[in-house]
Amino acid sequence: MKTCRVLLLAAFACSLLGSGKSIHAADFGATWNGTTGNWSDATKWSTNPVFPNNGVNTFDALQSAGTLTVNQDITIQKFTMNGGTNTGAGFALTTNELLTLAGGNVNGTGIINALGGASIGAIEMSGRTINLGDGVGPVVNTTWNSGNPLVHSGMVINNKSDSNFIIGFDGGNFWNINRGGSMVFNNEGTFTKNGGTGTANFGGNNNFATFAFNNSGVVQVNSGTLAIQATSGTHTGTFEVASGAVLNYTGTATLGTGATFNGAGTAIFAGTMNATGAATVNSSLNLTGTLTGSGPVTTNGTLTFTGGLDNAANLTALGDVAFNGAGRTIANGSVLNLGDGAGPDAGSTTNWSSGNILLRTGSTLNNRNDSVINTTANNSLFSNFNGTAVTFNNEGTFNQNGTGTTTLGGSANAFVFNNTGAVNVNSGTLDVQSTSGTHTGTFEVASGAVLNYTGTATLGSGTSFNGAGTTIFAGTMNASAAVTVNSTLNLTGVVNGSGPVTTNGTLTFTGGLDNAANLTALGDVVFNGAGRSIANGSVLNLGDGAGPDAGSTTTWSSGNILLRSGSTLNNRSDSVINATANNSLFSNFNGTSVTFNNEGTFNQNGTGTTTFGGNTNAFVFNNTGTVNVNSGTLALGDSQTFVTQHVGSTLTGGTWNVSNGASITRTFGSNITTIGSAASVTLDGAGSSFDKVTTALNTNQGNFPLKNDRDLTTIGAYLNSGTTRVEDNGTAFTIGTGGSAAYTQSMGETVLVGGALIDASVFNLNGGELKGNGTIASSVVTGGTQTIAPGLSPGMLTIEGDLTLSAGSTLAMEIGGLGQGTDYDFLDVNGVLTLAGILDLDMLNGFENLVQSSDVFTLATANSPILGSFSNVASGSRIWTDTHISFDVWYGAGSIFDPNSLVITGAPEPTRGVLLLLGLGSLVMRRRRSRTVSPALSDRKTV
């Protein structure tokens, strides 16, 4: 019966072929009988005596069990495998229509050509090559909608350019695991993940298995997650990741030229990507694995960087970047570019929120000029670890926003930090620990924030440090061009180079200047602690000398300041140094001559000793400003300490003020006999001392005040052509022992204040002015052109001997009320008063409008009748004041008052009519008076 059916089938087939009609797959179905055998064994097929082979007929074949060996090239319409084993020995099985691999095991060798597409389920495959499509067209579909295919041991699947491989469900695993060997999937066409929001795993591997995934076509992730777990693969095609979808590449792959990741979804590189050509990522990218190779790779979407770059990787991120988590590494010559520097890019902001970033072994991080880094990663480390020099180039903006500390550097290996952009320390602390770097950009340090630069850097042109916060230079800064520091600066390290560097904020100086450094401090300066050194030709300018600067005050509270090897400290005219550094040393140590130029004010405020010099090398102290020794001792060094203004026995310049209990000591050089015309020495208080001056002084050409009970006795005669001031009723200036020598003034002025005393054998007033409130305990003899002006608006001058005026004398008296010696000047001569020269009367405080005709003013008294006469007013004559009124003058034997007194009497103010009649006469008198007044009147007494 069976034989008859086969014969009938064969006869029917022959008749169809003979008639020329086409044979369709639906016409002939062949089922393997489930035993073991060869494909060509017709006895194993349901179509016996023929088997499914296009060379004989066209068939659909079905295998559900048994072992079927393809022992020759076979071409059929469809092949469906639900179970059993399909093996081969190098032959090709070709299906023109659908290949269904729903179950069983495909192994052996040879090729399966699924020219009409395929349907894949829970199948195990090894050794064979499956071609999905033929690359010619039309497009065919391969679907994987269920089951977990297991592929291994040399299996190759080629998804040709005319094939669309579709994953239509979630939760499946298409992988090589626990079987060993290799699996290769080549996508030349379209590879699509559809289905739900879950995950489809494609790949999978362990120590015994490899899975290669190559894409030269298009991979589409339309929904859910496609997890590719490949041990290798090369990509030159595209990956399209739709919004909300995820491509999770957890294996290893090579990105060749043209590799592109597009779409609004997220691509995850969790394995190792080796970029051998230019690749572009337009989707969001989570780099949790490692990118290697010099590609380069460009990301335009958001980049979340929790992985690493290695082996000369080159990654440019044009979109937002997020650094979070731990373990980020940029190593072995890799480069990460944030932005491209071509212009503002939308979203080119990098947020570093947590974890460390490890720059290692010659790698580079470039923050381009169109990029911003915001870091809140407190206690994180941006460091070079175990490798050669690495570089962080900031051309854009770097914002430190955390409340803790962010460290750039922090390893024993070389870390180069270059800033040509802007570094903003908005809060917390930015700790830069670089071994080198060049800066031409800005550093902004906000109030309460700290920039702590503990490394080494070169400060180039345009570098500035701004803001109300604190900048710390704890390493070595080499200034190669002009640099400005507007923030508070703590210099605990060293500044090198001739920059110059200008600080406008507070400078705390506990470090040093070296190698011709040039630092100008315009704000407050604090010297405290030890180890400060200004060395090797360096210059420190306190102030700029251009005018008063707010806060240009230097406080030297502790420690030594070492000037060394040709260096200079300039205290400019607009700067003040306050020194409380007791027992400290302002010295030259181990080097050539150094200089301290004081053009401003130096205040010694400590209770101990401050020493200028103090070493065997040359120390030059040049004081053209003011030295105030308010307490303690200022010691002007030894034989190698040179005071520029101490020339021979003359103090040529500078202002030197010594307060009570304080002293200036000078162990080297001649005693100072002369205070030069540009010099000033003030001794204020009984315990004040300037040993070189007080020992031998005999000439003053400059300014020499004695104050507050500071008695002084010269060793001989005293010559004054400058200003000598003796102040307070307890102060006595004695000329020679017991007043045995002469006081001679050729020009300048002698001023007595508050009842002070000058005791001399004679006071020779040959020029200048004698004025004030006090006593000359000798006779006064005038000569030349000079002025005697009792009081200081107004007051009383006492001469305990004779007073002899000369033709060139001016007696200048001020009248501002009725009180003798308090409201108007009074001259008390306890000897003979001989008049000559002129009398000059000046009115004060508008008193000219209050004088009555009955007012009497006794301007001077003597112990005998006054001799001589004024050249501009005789006794009984009238004298005009510097206002509209005049007085009658009386003195000597013809006086209607005491002949021992110089008296003027008040005159009534003329009426209007009298003024009109006498106007011309008054003018004539004033003109006559101006002609007869001594030239000394042009030098009026000042208040």
Side-chain angles (χ1 to χ4, degrees):
M1 191 69 158
K2 179 179 179 182
T3 301
C4 293
R5 286 199 299 269
V6 173
L7 291 174
L8 288 173
L9 178 61
F12 179 63
C14 290
S15 66
L16 290 177
L17 289 172
S19 66
K21 295 178 66 175
S22 62
I23 304 173
H24 299 284
D27 295 333
F28 300 98
T31 301
W32 182 253
N33 67 3
T35 62
T36 299
N38 292 323
W39 186 286
S40 62
D41 185 354
T43 63
K44 308 294 186 182
W45 293 97
S46 62
T47 55
N48 184 39
V50 296
F51 63 92
N53 183 358
N54 199 47
V56 178
N57 285 306
T58 299
F59 285 91
D60 296 341
L62 171 64
Q63 179 184 1
S64 298
T67 299
L68 172 58
T69 300
V70 179
N71 63 329
Q72 68 176 60
D73 291 338
I74 302 296
T75 300
I76 59 175
Q77 292 301 103
K78 296 179 181 180
F79 178 64
T80 300
M81 184 174 179
N82 295 322
T85 299
N86 187 288
T87 187
F91 297 101
L93 171 62
T94 301
T95 60
N96 291 317
E97 297 183 25
L98 187 64
L99 169 67
T100 300
L101 301 175
N105 189 322
V106 174
N107 59 33
T109 61
I111 299 173
I112 299 175
N113 297 310
L115 304 184
S119 174
I120 298 176
I123 186 76
E124 181 175 351
M125 296 179 283
S126 63
R128 303 281 276 278
T129 296
I130 298 179
N131 295 314
L132 304 175
D134 60 3
V136 178
V139 174
V140 296
N141 291 326
T142 295
T143 60
W144 171 34
N145 291 321
S146 64
N148 295 317
L150 179 61
V151 290
H152 57 91
S153 301
M155 188 67 192
V156 176
I157 298 177
N158 296 312
N159 192 46
K160 296 292 189 177
S161 59
D162 57 346
S163 176
N164 185 7
F165 189 101
I166 302 171
I167 302 174
F169 77 116
D170 295 328
N173 299 311
F174 192 111
W175 55 14
N176 176 12
I177 188 168
N178 293 333
R179 291 290 194 275
S182 63
M183 160 61 193
V184 178
F185 186 92
N186 296 311
N187 179 55
E188 303 167 7
T190 302
F191 186 97
T192 303
K193 162 65 170 72
N194 291 327
T197 58
T199 300
N201 294 305
F202 202 85
N205 63 86
N206 60 17
N207 294 331
F208 307 102
T210 62
F211 191 104
F213 182 81
N214 301 309
N215 176 39
S216 58
V218 178
V219 174
Q220 296 176 334
V221 186
N222 295 325
S223 62
T225 299
L226 173 62
I228 299 178
Q229 303 175 30
T231 56
S232 65
T234 299
H235 305 298
T236 57
T238 62
F239 293 81
E240 301 283 344
V241 187
S243 178
V246 176
L247 169 65
N248 186 8
Y249 210 116
T250 60
T252 300
T254 297
L255 302 180
T257 299
T260 305
F261 297 78
N262 300 319
T266 300
I268 300 174
F269 290 172
T272 299
M273 289 289 181
N274 180 36
T276 61
T280 303
V281 182
N282 296 314
S283 60
S284 293
L285 173 63
N286 291 356
L287 180 58
T288 62
T290 302
L291 177 67
T292 66
S294 57
V297 176
T298 301
T299 64
N300 291 296
T302 298
L303 167 64
T304 300
F305 193 111
T306 58
L309 306 181
D310 205 353
N311 295 324
N314 189 328
L315 175 61
T316 297
L318 302 183
D320 285 349
V321 179
F323 287 109
N324 54 39
R328 283 74 54 81
T329 301
I330 305 170
N332 295 313
S334 296
V335 177
L336 174 58
N337 299 306
L338 304 176
D340 60 2
D345 293 302
S348 55
T349 299
T350 296
N351 293 313
W352 176 18
S353 59
S354 64
N356 299 337
I357 301 174
L358 301 180
L359 273 174
R360 303 173 63 174
T361 320
S363 295
T364 301
L365 173 63
N366 295 315
N367 189 40
R368 297 298 192 193
N369 59 19
D370 52 355
S371 181
V372 177
I373 296 177
N374 295 316
T375 175
T376 56
N378 299 333
N379 302 313
S380 294
L381 182 65
F382 207 151
S383 70
N384 175 26
F385 181 77
N386 290 347
T388 55
V390 298
T391 303
F392 173 36
N393 295 313
N394 181 55
E395 303 164 7
T397 302
F398 182 94
N399 292 320
Q400 157 63 9
N401 296 328
T403 56
T405 299
T406 297
T407 302
L408 306 182
S411 177
N413 299 292
F415 184 96
V416 180
F417 175 50
N418 300 314
N419 176 40
T420 58
V423 173
N424 301 319
V425 187
N426 299 317
S427 58
T429 298
L430 178 62
D431 187 5
V432 181
Q433 302 179 26
S434 67
T435 54
S436 65
T438 299
H439 305 301
T440 57
T442 62
F443 294 82
E444 298 281 344
V445 188
S447 178
V450 177
L451 169 64
N452 185 20
Y453 212 116
T454 60
T456 300
T458 297
L459 305 179
S461 178
T463 305
S464 63
F465 298 80
N466 304 312
T470 299
T471 299
I472 301 173
F473 288 171
T476 300
M477 291 291 177
N478 180 36
S480 62
V483 177
T484 302
V485 182
N486 296 313
S487 59
T488 296
L489 174 62
N490 292 353
L491 179 57
T492 61
V494 178
V495 172
N496 293 319
S498 57
V501 177
T502 301
T503 63
N504 291 297
T506 298
L507 167 64
T508 300
F509 193 111
T510 57
L513 305 179
D514 205 353
N515 296 321
N518 188 328
L519 176 61
T520 297
L522 301 183
D524 286 348
V525 179
V526 177
F527 288 108
N528 57 33
R532 282 75 53 80
S533 178
I534 305 170
N536 295 314
S538 296
V539 177
L540 174 59
N541 298 307
L542 305 176
D544 59 3
D549 293 304
S552 55
T553 298
T554 296
T555 301
W556 177 20
S557 59
S558 65
N560 299 337
I561 301 175
L562 301 179
L563 276 172
R564 304 172 63 174
S565 305
S567 295
T568 302
L569 173 63
N570 294 315
N571 189 41
R572 297 297 193 193
S573 59
D574 50 355
S575 182
V576 177
I577 297 177
N578 293 317
T580 58
N582 299 332
N583 302 312
S584 294
L585 183 66
F586 207 148
S587 70
N588 175 24
F589 181 77
N590 290 348
T592 56
S593 176
V594 298
T595 303
F596 171 35
N597 293 312
N598 181 53
E599 304 165 8
T601 301
F602 181 92
N603 293 319
Q604 159 63 10
N605 296 329
T607 57
T609 299
T610 297
T611 302
F612 290 172
N615 196 270
T616 56
N617 299 291
F619 182 98
V620 178
F621 176 47
N622 180 26
N623 177 37
T624 58
T626 299
V627 171
N628 296 317
V629 185
N630 299 316
S631 58
T633 298
L634 175 62
L636 299 179
D638 56 17
S639 61
Q640 292 301 309
T641 301
F642 301 95
V643 179
T644 303
Q645 287 71 34
H646 188 180
V647 181
S649 60
T650 300
L651 186 66
T652 62
T655 298
W656 312 76
N657 300 323
V658 187
S659 297
N660 189 37
S663 63
I664 298 176
T665 62
R666 180 91 167 104
T667 61
F668 174 73
S670 302
N671 289 327
I672 295 173
T673 63
T674 302
I675 297 175
S677 60
S680 175
V681 176
T682 299
L683 300 177
D684 184 358
S688 59
S689 174
F690 189 162
D691 57 1
K692 289 296 182 182
V693 173
T694 57
T695 300
L697 182 66
N698 59 33
T699 302
N700 175 49
Q701 301 166 349
N703 185 45
F704 182 50
L706 295 172
K707 305 170 66 175
N708 293 319
D709 300 334
R710 195 359 172 146
D711 296 341
L712 179 64
T713 300
T714 68
I715 61 174
Y718 179 76
L719 303 177
N720 181 53
S721 58
T723 296
T724 298
R725 291 176 65 93
V726 186
E727 302 184 21
D728 306 311
N729 61 10
T731 303
F733 187 23
T734 302
I735 311 304
T737 304
S740 60
Y743 185 118
T744 300
Q745 178 171 301
S746 59
M747 58 187 297
E749 62 181 11
T750 298
V751 182
L752 297 170
V753 180
L757 172 69
I758 295 178
D759 187 5
S761 62
V762 64
F763 194 108
N764 297 312
L765 185 60
N766 299 326
E769 187 172 13
L770 170 62
K771 63 182 180 181
N773 299 298
T775 300
I776 303 296
S778 67
S779 294
V780 176
V781 179
T782 63
T785 301
Q786 25 57 46
T787 298
I788 296 178
L792 294 172
S793 292
M796 175 180 173
L797 179 63
T798 298
I799 298 174
E800 293 186 347
D802 300 335
L803 172 59
T804 302
L805 300 180
S806 65
S809 297
T810 296
L811 181 60
M813 311 296 280
E814 295 176 327
I815 303 167
L818 299 176
Q820 185 185 66
T822 56
D823 296 324
Y824 68 89
D825 287 340
F826 175 60
L827 177 63
D828 182 16
V829 180
N830 294 324
V832 178
L833 172 56
T834 301
L835 301 179
I838 64 173
L839 174 65
D840 178 36
L841 299 180
D842 289 333
M843 305 303 294
L844 297 177
N845 305 322
F847 186 62
E848 66 272 13
N849 299 314
L850 303 175
V851 174
Q852 303 296 316
S853 60
S854 59
D855 292 339
V856 177
F857 304 91
T858 300
L859 301 182
T861 61
N863 286 352
S864 60
I866 295 175
L867 304 177
S869 176
F870 291 114
S871 63
N872 67 328
V873 58
S875 180
S877 299
R878 181 172 293 275
I879 186 172
W880 287 93
T881 68
D882 62 340
T883 65
H884 62 272
I885 69 170
S886 60
F887 290 93
D888 288 331
V889 181
W890 302 94
Y891 53 84
S895 174
I896 62 175
F897 298 97
D898 181 1
N900 295 0
S901 300
L902 171 61
V903 178
I904 62 174
T905 59
E909 183 178 353
T911 64
R912 183 180 300 272
V914 174
L915 287 174
L916 290 172
L917 292 172
L918 298 181
L920 180 60
S922 174
L923 179 60
V924 171
M925 289 185 69
R926 286 181 179 274
R927 289 178 177 173
R928 184 182 296 117
R929 178 172 178 267
S930 67
R931 288 197 299 271
T932 60
V933 168
S934 167
L937 283 176
S938 63
D939 186 17
R940 291 297 181 106
K941 178 175 60 176
T942 60
V943 178

